[in-house]
Amino acid sequence: MTHIDPPISDKAVAAVFAGFPRPARDGTLLLRSIIFEIADRDERVGGVSETLKWRQPSYLPIAKNVGTPIRLGVPKAGGFALFVHCQTTVINEFRTLFSGDFEFDGNRAVLFDSKASIEIEKITLLINRALTYRL
């Protein structure tokens, strides 16, 4: 997988990333890159829009009624996380596949402690599922 690193055009989003502690920033920027790559590869998604939701970078497919937003953030306990809407089945489906491989926060997030803890092949499945959740 070749990572796409488009510039962050929204100053508020850039400020949030800049405010993350260094290890969390590195990890969330890697997740951001994977999100953009998957969205660009799947024409059904039509790319993603990058905004802030609940003061976290948020990624929503540009195509209407295709997926659910993905948010990136830093939980109070530390590390960093990839969040999806808690009323979707995305996290529960991912937990069923990879229960021993990741730490979860209920049905809303996958938690990471470092950039090295991101298993790219597996997290790609989660991101793809979120971006195409309604299909």
Side-chain angles (χ1 to χ4, degrees):
M1 179 174 269
T2 311
H3 298 296
I4 298 172
D5 293 315
I8 301 171
S9 59
D10 185 308
K11 290 179 183 181
V13 173
V16 168
F17 277 112
F20 287 162
R22 182 65 189 223
R25 182 176 355 149
D26 292 345
T28 54
L29 287 173
L30 175 58
L31 290 171
R32 176 186 182 270
S33 177
I34 296 167
I35 291 167
F36 273 97
E37 183 168 341
I38 291 169
D40 287 346
R41 234 183 12 213
D42 190 332
E43 61 188 39
R44 300 173 301 170
V45 175
V48 289
S49 63
E50 181 174 48
T51 62
L52 289 181
K53 265 195 178 187
W54 298 289
R55 294 186 296 263
Q56 296 173 323
S58 177
Y59 304 87
L60 180 65
I62 292 172
K64 300 292 183 208
N65 299 316
V66 171
T68 190
I70 298 171
R71 291 178 291 112
L72 303 176
V74 178
K76 291 177 185 171
F80 58 97
L82 183 151
F83 298 91
V84 297
H85 195 287
C86 64
Q87 292 179 342
T88 68
T89 59
V90 173
I91 296 295
N92 287 334
E93 291 169 5
F94 193 68
R95 181 185 292 112
T96 298
L97 292 172
F98 303 112
S99 63
D101 297 340
F102 294 94
E103 185 178 347
F104 299 91
D105 181 6
N107 60 350
R108 68 186 203 109
V110 177
L111 307 173
F112 303 94
D113 58 11
S114 71
K115 180 178 172 181
S117 67
I118 299 174
E119 295 185 48
I120 293 175
E121 294 78 24
K122 293 176 183 176
I123 207 66
T124 296
L125 294 173
L126 172 66
I127 292 168
N128 187 66
R129 178 66 178 127
L131 293 176
T132 60
Y133 180 70
R134 299 183 193 287
L135 296 179

